[in-house]
Amino acid sequence: MARIAVDAMGGDRAPRVVVEGAVQACRELGVETILVGDEGRIRAELARLRATHLKPVSVRHASQVVEMADHPRQAIRGKRDASIRVIFDLVASGEADAALSAGNSGAMLAAAQLVLGRLPGVEAPAVLAILPVGQRRVALLDAGARVEARPIDVVQYALLGEAYARRVLGVPRPRVALLSNGEEASKGTALTRSAMEALARDPFIDFLGYVEGKDVFAGVCDVVATDGFTGNVMLKTAEGAALAFRGMLEASIRRSPVAKLGGMLLRPALRALRSELDYAEYGGAPLVGCDGTVILAHGRSGARAIRSAIRMAAEAASIDLRDELSAAGARAATLF
């Protein structure tokens, strides 16, 4: 079973919910975790949860914390005993199989580059966000690692996502697409047109060409590639839309006795829909293309989201994708 190094001090409600999520993951899933941060505060939370002697959980003290206002790269270089830095050191030394934090995402990206480095052949690692689409899961990347991208970066995102969807998400032949403002080849930007021409030359993937945002949520593709700015905006818009839809639906049900009765009858279906739209069910986003398993969790994560992120980290760490991801990155360069 994989050992996950968890930044206990990262996130809006750390260390309380992080420790809770780690305890849930250990008790319910059997995942071994190393909680990194202020040892006194972590052990106090473990005592509150009656988990002081829970064997799959260990504690590694870290005397510093990377704050949200810190400059990411400077903090990783200067705060060598910060909890975010230490979880990467544990992965680099082989003491842990994956690093996970809900803290400063910029610091996570910086630590991945400085401590673990990129896989051979990969120009720029990408954040891979999982979008729930009915019973399927769509991989969106890049979801924010690099705001400005080159055509080769976007092509690599597509190929990295294809490998991840096939090996980790279990899609036999992932359908790959580029996000654009229309399906016609004349649409898009110079960046997307160059990337589309290159991907069309790859005989090893099922490339669909352009898709619009609405098509992604219609289940048209399994992997959608774009630059980090566009991907991050799409991800946050989708999260906001899901929350707004849920709120409007609940408000409509409360408006009349008839609607309340209908809501009661639909409660199982509504509960399932709420689960599908809740990011806490997925927990985090892997950073693909760096030399190690890294999961970025949402800053607002609760205990359930942390538990889900730990599960995701364990699943990803159990599959060695390094050679395949390196090959995908290198293949991208041959398409130009």
Side-chain angles (χ1 to χ4, degrees), residues 6 61 64 73 76 87 93 128 163 181 192 195 243 248 254 305 333:
V6 180
H61 180 65
Q64 297 173 300
R73 190 168 287 267
I76 292 301
I87 62 174
S93 68
L128 187 154
N181 61 334
T192 61
L243 289 172
M248 289 187 291
R254 290 194 297 266

Tab-separated table of all heavy atoms in Angstrom, residues 6 61 64 73 76 87 93 128 163 181 192 195 243 248 254 305 333:
chain	number	residue	atom	x	y	z
A	6	VAL	N	1.351	13.963	3.639
A	6	VAL	CA	0.267	14.947	3.620
A	6	VAL	C	0.702	16.201	4.373
A	6	VAL	O	1.140	16.121	5.529
A	6	VAL	CB	-1.015	14.373	4.260
A	6	VAL	CG1	-2.131	15.409	4.243
A	6	VAL	CG2	-1.452	13.106	3.539
A	61	HIS	N	7.493	16.190	12.118
A	61	HIS	CA	7.453	17.600	12.509
A	61	HIS	C	8.091	18.479	11.440
A	61	HIS	O	9.144	18.146	10.879
A	61	HIS	CB	8.180	17.814	13.835
A	61	HIS	CG	8.170	19.247	14.292
A	61	HIS	ND1	7.009	19.900	14.640
A	61	HIS	CD2	9.172	20.161	14.408
A	61	HIS	CE1	7.297	21.139	14.988
A	61	HIS	NE2	8.603	21.329	14.845
A	64	GLN	N	8.112	25.107	9.912
A	64	GLN	CA	7.715	26.279	9.128
A	64	GLN	C	6.480	25.974	8.278
A	64	GLN	O	6.152	24.813	8.020
A	64	GLN	CB	8.869	26.721	8.223
A	64	GLN	CG	10.117	27.178	8.986
A	64	GLN	CD	11.279	27.438	8.042
A	64	GLN	OE1	11.726	26.548	7.336
A	64	GLN	NE2	11.767	28.672	8.043
A	73	ARG	N	8.186	30.352	-5.102
A	73	ARG	CA	9.543	29.844	-5.315
A	73	ARG	C	10.489	30.286	-4.201
A	73	ARG	O	11.319	29.505	-3.725
A	73	ARG	CB	10.064	30.300	-6.685
A	73	ARG	CG	11.359	29.631	-7.113
A	73	ARG	CD	11.625	29.916	-8.580
A	73	ARG	NE	10.718	29.167	-9.428
A	73	ARG	CZ	10.993	27.972	-9.939
A	73	ARG	NH1	12.141	27.371	-9.669
A	73	ARG	NH2	10.123	27.353	-10.708
A	76	ILE	N	9.792	28.168	-1.054
A	76	ILE	CA	10.307	26.803	-1.131
A	76	ILE	C	11.830	26.789	-0.969
A	76	ILE	O	12.399	25.897	-0.337
A	76	ILE	CB	9.893	26.137	-2.461
A	76	ILE	CG1	8.373	25.917	-2.473
A	76	ILE	CG2	10.624	24.822	-2.668
A	76	ILE	CD1	7.840	25.057	-1.351
A	87	ILE	N	7.112	17.485	2.498
A	87	ILE	CA	6.399	16.361	1.870
A	87	ILE	C	7.072	15.970	0.553
A	87	ILE	O	7.100	14.784	0.192
A	87	ILE	CB	4.890	16.646	1.661
A	87	ILE	CG1	4.653	17.830	0.718
A	87	ILE	CG2	4.178	16.857	2.990
A	87	ILE	CD1	3.193	18.051	0.371
A	93	SER	N	13.195	11.212	-1.259
A	93	SER	CA	14.051	10.263	-0.542
A	93	SER	C	13.510	8.840	-0.564
A	93	SER	O	14.190	7.909	-0.123
A	93	SER	CB	14.210	10.706	0.914
A	93	SER	OG	12.973	10.597	1.624
A	128	LEU	N	-3.969	18.264	-13.776
A	128	LEU	CA	-5.026	17.499	-14.436
A	128	LEU	C	-6.246	17.475	-13.527
A	128	LEU	O	-6.238	16.837	-12.477
A	128	LEU	CB	-4.534	16.076	-14.734
A	128	LEU	CG	-5.428	15.174	-15.570
A	128	LEU	CD1	-4.594	14.127	-16.295
A	128	LEU	CD2	-6.482	14.465	-14.723
A	163	ALA	N	-2.553	9.391	-21.739
A	163	ALA	CA	-1.910	8.294	-21.011
A	163	ALA	C	-2.537	8.119	-19.638
A	163	ALA	O	-2.779	6.997	-19.183
A	163	ALA	CB	-0.408	8.560	-20.893
A	181	ASN	N	-13.393	27.851	-29.238
A	181	ASN	CA	-14.640	28.606	-29.279
A	181	ASN	C	-15.531	28.177	-30.433
A	181	ASN	O	-16.477	28.862	-30.802
A	181	ASN	CB	-14.342	30.105	-29.401
A	181	ASN	CG	-13.574	30.444	-30.666
A	181	ASN	OD1	-12.856	29.595	-31.207
A	181	ASN	ND2	-13.681	31.677	-31.133
A	192	THR	N	-4.037	27.338	-30.555
A	192	THR	CA	-4.834	26.118	-30.709
A	192	THR	C	-4.739	25.545	-32.113
A	192	THR	O	-4.743	24.326	-32.294
A	192	THR	CB	-6.312	26.381	-30.356
A	192	THR	OG1	-6.852	27.370	-31.244
A	192	THR	CG2	-6.455	26.871	-28.918
A	195	ALA	N	-1.488	23.637	-32.348
A	195	ALA	CA	-1.597	22.398	-31.575
A	195	ALA	C	-2.475	21.384	-32.302
A	195	ALA	O	-2.182	20.180	-32.311
A	195	ALA	CB	-2.165	22.693	-30.190
A	243	LEU	N	-22.423	24.719	-8.075
A	243	LEU	CA	-22.941	25.206	-6.791
A	243	LEU	C	-24.200	26.048	-6.989
A	243	LEU	O	-25.166	25.939	-6.230
A	243	LEU	CB	-21.865	26.026	-6.075
A	243	LEU	CG	-20.674	25.231	-5.510
A	243	LEU	CD1	-19.603	26.186	-5.002
A	243	LEU	CD2	-21.128	24.289	-4.402
A	248	MET	N	-30.078	26.825	-6.724
A	248	MET	CA	-31.339	27.182	-7.370
A	248	MET	C	-32.343	26.038	-7.291
A	248	MET	O	-33.540	26.258	-7.074
A	248	MET	CB	-31.086	27.576	-8.831
A	248	MET	CG	-30.383	28.910	-8.997
A	248	MET	SD	-30.264	29.457	-10.731
A	248	MET	CE	-29.112	28.259	-11.380
A	254	ARG	N	-38.132	24.390	-2.198
A	254	ARG	CA	-38.668	24.940	-0.948
A	254	ARG	C	-39.812	25.921	-1.156
A	254	ARG	O	-40.459	26.327	-0.205
A	254	ARG	CB	-37.541	25.643	-0.168
A	254	ARG	CG	-36.496	24.689	0.413
A	254	ARG	CD	-35.630	25.417	1.430
A	254	ARG	NE	-34.878	26.501	0.821
A	254	ARG	CZ	-33.630	26.375	0.365
A	254	ARG	NH1	-32.995	25.209	0.455
A	254	ARG	NH2	-33.005	27.404	-0.178
A	305	ALA	N	-13.100	15.653	1.486
A	305	ALA	CA	-12.298	15.953	0.301
A	305	ALA	C	-10.854	15.515	0.493
A	305	ALA	O	-10.219	15.000	-0.437
A	305	ALA	CB	-12.367	17.443	-0.016
A	333	ALA	N	7.204	16.277	-29.341
A	333	ALA	CA	8.207	17.057	-30.088
A	333	ALA	C	8.343	16.592	-31.523
A	333	ALA	O	8.718	17.379	-32.409
A	333	ALA	CB	9.557	16.972	-29.360
